[in-house]
Amino acid sequence: MSTNILNHPLIDHKLSLLRGVGTSTKDFRELTSEISTMVVYEALHDAPTVSTMVKTPMGRTKGSLVDSDNFVFVPVLRAGLGMTDGVLQIMPNAKFGHIGMERNENTLEPRNYYFKMPRHLEARTVCVLDPMLATGGSASAAITELKKAGATKIKLLVILAAPEGIERVEEDHPDIEIYTAAVDEYVNNAGYIVPGLGDAGDRIYGTA
Ligand code: PRP
Ligand code: URA
């Protein structure tokens, strides 16, 4: 189990714009997508490749290709859907599964309300997409459902993580890797990451 924090001035730049209370819905969506592309890029650093020969205008060279069939991307509804365009930017043939998790606003307990996956999860790397890892309840429950369905290699890709969420996922699922654009300070009593960016789903879909 490891937690990888992306450390890059461009990530910090885009994250600063994303967090801003005055950022428009349009900009929030675009920035979520752009940051997601960078998180996916980092998470696929060990993607299996197949060798190929390439004929260039000047000669021939060995090349290597990433087979997108090796991966399944699983946005956690709703906010995780905001990360799918970012995946498609670099893997246009990617396969997707969908899992619906909703936190009860009072207890913060997650409820699984939807689950639909491509076949052969056991043979693929499953990348869970959710911009926010707060208490970790939703991510941990989503990963449990994926394991029940046969997934064995799972990565959790987020934009903002709180220390509480990282600790919870590390404890419940010591076998998975987390990739996050940043780690914030703490989760407040209402379940929000501080300083965070507010409610990601509401900001992506304009439902605040
Ligand atoms: C948000 C977010 C995560 C969850 C994180 O979803 O997208 O799934 O909260 O919180 P946790 O780590 O404490 O579980 P939310 O329940 O607000 O649903 P939504 O995506 O439909 O807005
Ligand atoms: N979910 C969000 O959308 N934002 C938070 O700060 C915590 C959970």
Side-chain angles (χ1 to χ4, degrees), residues 73-116:
F73 293 88
V74 180
V76 178
L77 309 180
R78 221 176 17 153
L81 285 176
M83 298 177 73
T84 57
D85 279 352
V87 174
L88 290 168
Q89 285 296 323
I90 48 174
M91 207 176 263
N93 284 314
K95 290 186 188 304
F96 285 88
H98 293 89
I99 183 163
M101 303 293 313
E102 190 172 45
R103 292 197 310 177
N104 178 300
E105 280 179 15
N106 300 315
T107 64
L108 301 182
E109 280 304 311
R111 179 179 71 91
N112 177 212
Y113 62 89
Y114 188 77
F115 191 88
K116 181 90 178 169

Side-chain angles (χ1 to χ4, degrees), residues 4-8 11-12 35 38-43 158 179-182:
N4 305 271
I5 305 160
L6 275 66
N7 221 334
H8 195 286
I11 291 267
D12 296 341
I35 296 168
M38 297 189 230
V39 177
V40 173
Y41 171 85
E42 188 61 29
V158 307
Y179 293 84
T180 183

Side-chain angles (χ1 to χ4, degrees), residues 6-206:
L6 275 66
N7 221 334
H8 195 286
L10 273 176
I11 291 267
D12 296 341
H13 175 101
K14 291 191 183 293
L15 207 45
S16 302
L17 298 174
L18 184 77
R19 288 179 190 277
V21 67
T23 300
S24 69
T25 304
K26 172 183 178 289
D27 288 346
F28 194 90
R29 285 184 186 142
E30 287 176 3
L31 288 159
T32 299
S33 181
E34 287 166 0
I35 296 168
S36 302
T37 301
M38 297 189 230
V39 177
V40 173
Y41 171 85
E42 188 61 29
L44 297 195
H45 69 97
D46 58 352
T49 56
V50 286
S51 303
T52 185
M53 281 305 292
V54 187
K55 186 171 178 299
T56 79
M58 308 299 292
R60 287 167 70 81
T61 185
K62 274 194 220 155
S64 71
L65 300 172
V66 173
D67 182 2
S68 61
D69 254 17
N70 285 319
F71 296 92
V72 176
F73 293 88
V74 180
V76 178
L77 309 180
R78 221 176 17 153
L81 285 176
M83 298 177 73
T84 57
D85 279 352
V87 174
L88 290 168
Q89 285 296 323
I90 48 174
M91 207 176 263
N93 284 314
K95 290 186 188 304
F96 285 88
H98 293 89
I99 183 163
M101 303 293 313
E102 190 172 45
R103 292 197 310 177
N104 178 300
E105 280 179 15
N106 300 315
T107 64
L108 301 182
E109 280 304 311
R111 179 179 71 91
N112 177 212
Y113 62 89
Y114 188 77
F115 191 88
K116 181 90 178 169
M117 295 296 143
R119 281 179 293 181
H120 306 308
L121 279 191
E122 69 288 350
R124 298 183 156 124
T125 299
V126 177
C127 297
V128 178
L129 308 172
D130 193 328
M132 309 303 278
L133 179 62
T135 64
S138 305
S140 180
I143 293 163
T144 299
E145 294 300 321
L146 287 163
K147 285 182 174 173
K148 276 193 224 160
T152 53
K153 185 164 186 205
I154 302 174
K155 298 185 183 218
L156 173 62
L157 280 54
V158 307
I159 291 180
L160 275 188
E164 294 90 330
I166 293 174
E167 203 175 308
R168 167 81 187 267
V169 173
E170 281 183 352
E171 206 172 292
D172 293 353
H173 302 287
D175 51 324
I176 76 141
E177 281 177 11
I178 301 174
Y179 293 84
T180 183
V183 178
D184 269 12
E185 290 170 23
Y186 65 99
V187 179
N188 71 13
N189 289 338
Y192 284 93
I193 297 177
V194 181
L197 49 75
D199 188 305
D202 281 348
R203 296 195 67 181
I204 292 167
Y205 294 108

